[in-house]
Amino acid sequence: MNAAEFRKRGKEMVDYVADYLEHIERRQVFPDIEPGYLRPLIPDSAPEEGEKYEEIIKDVERVIMPGVTHWHSPYFFAYFPTGSSYPAMLADMLCGAIGCIGFSWASSPACTELETVMLDWLGKMVGLPEQFLAGTKGEGGGVIQGTASEATLMALLAARTKVIRRLQAENGKLTESEIISRMVAYTSDQAHSSVERASLISGVRMKKIPSDEKFAARGHALKKALEEDKAEGLIPVFFCATLGTTNSCSFDNLMELGPICNAEKLWMHIDAAYAGSAFICPEFRYLMKGVEFADSFNFNPHKWLLVNFDCSAFWVKKRSDLIGAFKMDPVYLQYDQQESGLVTDYRHWQIPLGRRFRSLKLWFVFRIYGIKGLQTHIRKHVDLAREFLNHLSLDERFEVCAPVILGLVCFRLKGSNELNKILLQKINNAKKIHIVPCCLGSTFVLRFAVCASSVESSHIQFAWKHIEELASELLKTKSEEGCL
Amino acid sequence: MNAAEFRKRGKEMVDYVADYLEHIERRQVFPDIEPGYLRPLIPDSAPEEGEKYEEIIKDVERVIMPGVTHWHSPYFFAYFPTGSSYPAMLADMLCGAIGCIGFSWASSPACTELETVMLDWLGKMVGLPEQFLAGTKGEGGGVIQGTASEATLMALLAARTKVIRRLQAENGKLTESEIISRMVAYTSDQAHSSVERASLISGVRMKKIPSDEKFAARGHALKKALEEDKAEGLIPVFFCATLGTTNSCSFDNLMELGPICNAEKLWMHIDAAYAGSAFICPEFRYLMKGVEFADSFNFNPHKWLLVNFDCSAFWVKKRSDLIGAFKMDPVYLQYDQQESGLVTDYRHWQIPLGRRFRSLKLWFVFRIYGIKGLQTHIRKHVDLAREFLNHLSLDERFEVCAPVILGLVCFRLKGSNELNKILLQKINNAKKIHIVPCCLGSTFVLRFAVCASSVESSHIQFAWKHIEELASELLKTKSEEGCL
């Protein structure tokens, strides 16, 4: 395919993309297929000769679309939102064309430098303390990771290295594995599965401290765990706090946890994957009170800030902690300016070596929407969640299972877990909307997350009416069966 | 920005992308800027109000392009190639529009299923043994990772878990950290820095075995290390072989190493990041002889197979080894079909949770070019490297430092490392072409890698003439200074 054909096909694709998103409402949000549907639809090996583009684009509707879960449908209320916007897509096209691999400053200075400045912009937008910003003289700074999982892992690895170095400086005989075997990291029982996964990868055991009745981690619970573990000779190294848990969007109490972490020299990492975007609105910043105690902070603009996946923003107060954990300098990656102290080599800040020019997405989105436009987007979602909550609250057959603070509503029918599992199944089998469940303690709960950027009040009303009708049907059947 | 504006701006961007790539030759391959150039060019915080798109796109030429290292310039001969093609960019546009996060089958069945089938197609294209393919009944299969670094890490973590489970089954009293502290992994002294990094992350120590005079790892060197380590009570668990090293594109001897790994129950991972793409040409498959001994295999279509970054293809013979290492199943990620045995949940195969619909790029590229078109691309690059080698060989001031097998030529001026460092500096300061160095043993070497898909014989001739002239200048100065 040459440039001339790309000009033609690219413009057709722009229209296809616009058509897809403009009319996504007409597509069934969850697909009607069974596992293994795709393989029989296409040949079992690649063609020897090139095919015509027309054949491929025809197959997008024949092969791909029937199996897509439409995350940007206004009837999608599952998981958490994933960002999507036209300016982010335009930036991604440019990113693809430049196609640089920005592992070092020299491998593409613009890629590195725009990222540093965009992370400063974003840090200011959410009200991060200045220590997290790079500026021109700061010791901190931000980086784009692929996902929050990687950010948590990087933070834990940095904490691990820091403690190993400190203890080996005190006692040169201690081996790395002796130290790691005594290390312990903490998080709440509401933390995302990726936090536990970071522990498995790093080999640092992780203990879950019990959350309170609002599903928040509290200081006394951490303190208790620390005292028990220190008495047993363990070395506490890390605490991962969550702002906006996946289960119920609860918030750990940083004002209690932070001072403990600082006093006990635990690295405090904050995972605000979903909720972080809301902090661009001053009225939600009370939820991050205590962020100044943290060593690292992360949230996903690719969730709720209209930036297409992947773009997870991660800041540290001392970038030397992060870089020190993994610096490797093979000759093939060295260049003249690298020891000048003026450059950033982001390869030391992340698990992979290669990286795309992802900061373009932030730049385009921030400038097209402005801070006000992004605030409008966040506030609209929060308002829509409250609208759903209002419907719920007026129907006494339902109960709300956790405080509704941002765009997530956790609810259930009063009654057994079994009953709610059946309700979920009915909702997802009808495929008019899509939601997923969670467990809060031993309670099976339905999660209603406001997701698509195109979702409006009419969709919330539709969703509520649909859920309410399915619940009525279910309760009627159950009552006829004498099961209630 | 609404759909109508996106239609307009998207089409303009398509033309911008086509213009950029059609005329990339006119841009200086390496930028004329100093560290810190970008920050003063833009405001120090995000705008409150949205800006006009015209302002942003104007800034691409003012702010971004002056700081870009143009990886797709035909004068770029640094590192290794990174893939780029129009069909891959079209697929990425579609990927952005669908914007699904394919961590599980249910989160977007098409995303998972196309990936499994594309990795089967690709496995067949490079001649992988059938055990690595998923098919409909296989125990193996492929997955797209972001980078080769992540593939190596996943393989090492799977090996680590497998050995821990085996040893704990034999002796229930052994703790995980006791076992890890005795584990040892191996790679050659020519392996990529990411292999050592995987060892740092996983906590499994890594030993580098010396390569032979052709920079290949050999059986006897591994055997020697294994015997010494076993005698000391260590537990060998993993060997990472390289096909096509970053330094010199050397190839480890799988036929010697493989049987040793199998006999000693070492997980053998093959990192063929760059060279793997060449195996679509039957004439290069002799280089992967012995792949059948491996447990996992990885290469980067995003390097040399015209697929835009990121797309690193990773196969395992037993997917249960990989999945077993990290399976976590929070309720919010569960769905009806997951225990049917028919579905793949790729979140268990990788470090991050989220993932893009990257297999679309493979599908578009394989179909537009066909296997023959891709073979033509590989062969052209290999021929161009030979052309450069021919020039070199006729100039007795230069020496070739490693066998030239694919698209990389390692060379230097006969003389000191210092002399060659100055030559490199002259080349990169002139900014007419861009290359990077490496060290082979203690010898400082220049690497000339055929990279851009648009590179032609004329560019190779230009590059050679330019290098040769700078060398003449340098040798003349040195001889006048009496330094030679």
Side-chain angles (χ1 to χ4, degrees), chain B residues 145-362:
Chain B
Q145 302 278 348
T147 61
S149 310
E150 293 157 76
T152 306
L153 178 59
M154 281 307 293
L156 178 55
L157 293 171
R160 191 184 74 175
T161 304
K162 205 173 169 178
V163 172
I164 290 170
R165 296 214 176 126
R166 193 177 71 218
L167 295 185
Q168 285 186 331
E170 286 167 25
N171 176 356
K173 283 182 193 159
L174 282 173
T175 66
E176 193 175 304
S177 51
E178 277 166 354
I179 300 172
I180 294 178
S181 73
R182 288 171 53 205
M183 282 184 176
V184 53
Y186 304 89
T187 195
S188 105
D189 57 12
Q190 296 300 307
H192 190 263
S193 55
S194 58
V195 181
E196 195 176 338
R197 219 151 173 267
S199 139
L200 288 180
I201 293 168
S202 66
V204 176
R205 91 192 64 188
M206 177 135 337
K207 295 202 175 177
K208 292 194 176 171
I209 66 163
S211 54
D212 72 5
E213 74 293 348
K214 284 184 178 166
F215 312 106
R218 301 290 300 275
H220 58 85
L222 175 61
K223 207 152 194 168
K224 186 162 171 282
L226 285 173
E227 276 158 20
E228 286 169 11
D229 290 340
K230 286 195 294 183
E232 283 184 29
L234 297 180
I235 309 166
V237 295
F238 181 82
F239 179 74
C240 177
T242 310
L243 297 181
T245 58
T246 307
N247 279 334
S248 68
C249 198
S250 61
F251 292 80
D252 288 347
N253 189 324
L254 302 183
M255 290 302 284
E256 290 179 4
L257 297 159
I260 300 172
C261 290
N262 288 186
E264 302 278 346
K265 293 205 180 97
L266 266 66
W267 181 296
M268 183 161 85
H269 173 66
I270 296 176
D271 169 11
Y274 165 67
S277 297
F279 304 148
I280 64 166
C281 302
E283 68 270 30
F284 296 122
R285 282 203 200 138
Y286 74 95
L287 295 163
M288 69 191 281
K289 214 176 152 194
V291 65
E292 61 276 13
F293 296 110
D295 296 282
S296 53
F297 181 86
N298 168 245
F299 84 93
N300 292 347
H302 71 228
K303 276 203 165 62
W304 204 12
L305 215 55
L306 295 172
V307 177
N308 284 58
F309 186 88
D310 53 321
C311 181
S312 182
F314 177 56
W315 291 265
V316 286
K317 265 189 193 156
K318 281 194 191 267
R319 54 181 180 248
S320 56
D321 286 339
L322 205 60
I323 298 166
F326 295 112
K327 195 166 176 178
M328 301 231 157
D329 251 335
V331 174
Y332 50 79
L333 297 178
Q334 287 170 14
Y335 56 94
D336 277 355
Q337 299 90 336
Q338 73 174 13
E339 296 307 332
S340 67
L342 297 170
V343 304
T344 297
D345 286 334
Y346 275 129
R347 71 177 182 276
H348 304 308
W349 298 52
Q350 61 174 24
I351 304 290
L353 174 60
R355 53 206 325 279
R356 302 199 312 292
F357 201 157
R358 291 174 292 197
S359 56
L360 289 170
K361 290 189 285 203
L362 292 175

Side-chain angles (χ1 to χ4, degrees), chain A residues 7 11 15 19 22 36 44 49 51 59 67 71 107 110 113 124 160 197 200 350-351 367 372, chain B residues 7 11 15 19 22 36 44 49 51 59 67 71 107 110 113 124 160 197 200 350-351 367 372:
Chain A
R7 288 177 200 271
K11 289 165 193 176
D15 279 326
D19 288 343
E22 264 196 311
D44 65 1
E49 308 282 345
E51 296 178 55
D59 278 352
W71 282 61
S107 74
E113 297 204 9
K124 288 178 196 171
R160 192 185 74 175
R197 218 150 172 268
L200 287 180
Q350 60 173 22
I351 303 291
R367 294 184 67 183
K372 285 189 184 170
Chain B
R7 287 177 201 272
K11 289 165 193 176
D15 280 326
D19 289 342
E22 264 195 313
D44 65 0
E49 308 282 346
E51 296 178 54
D59 277 352
W71 282 62
S107 74
E113 296 203 9
K124 288 178 196 170
R160 191 184 74 175
R197 219 151 173 267
L200 288 180
Q350 61 174 24
I351 304 290
R367 294 183 67 183
K372 285 189 185 170

Side-chain angles (χ1 to χ4, degrees), chain A residues 312-363:
Chain A
S312 182
F314 177 55
W315 291 266
V316 285
K317 266 190 193 156
K318 279 194 192 271
R319 54 181 181 247
S320 56
D321 286 339
L322 205 60
I323 298 165
F326 294 113
K327 196 166 176 179
M328 300 231 156
D329 253 332
V331 175
Y332 50 80
L333 297 178
Q334 287 169 14
Y335 56 94
D336 277 354
Q337 299 89 337
Q338 73 175 14
E339 297 307 333
S340 67
L342 297 171
V343 304
T344 297
D345 286 334
Y346 276 128
R347 71 177 183 277
H348 305 307
W349 298 53
Q350 60 173 22
I351 303 291
L353 174 60
R355 52 205 329 277
R356 302 200 310 293
F357 201 158
R358 291 174 292 197
S359 56
L360 289 170
K361 290 189 284 202
L362 293 175
W363 198 43

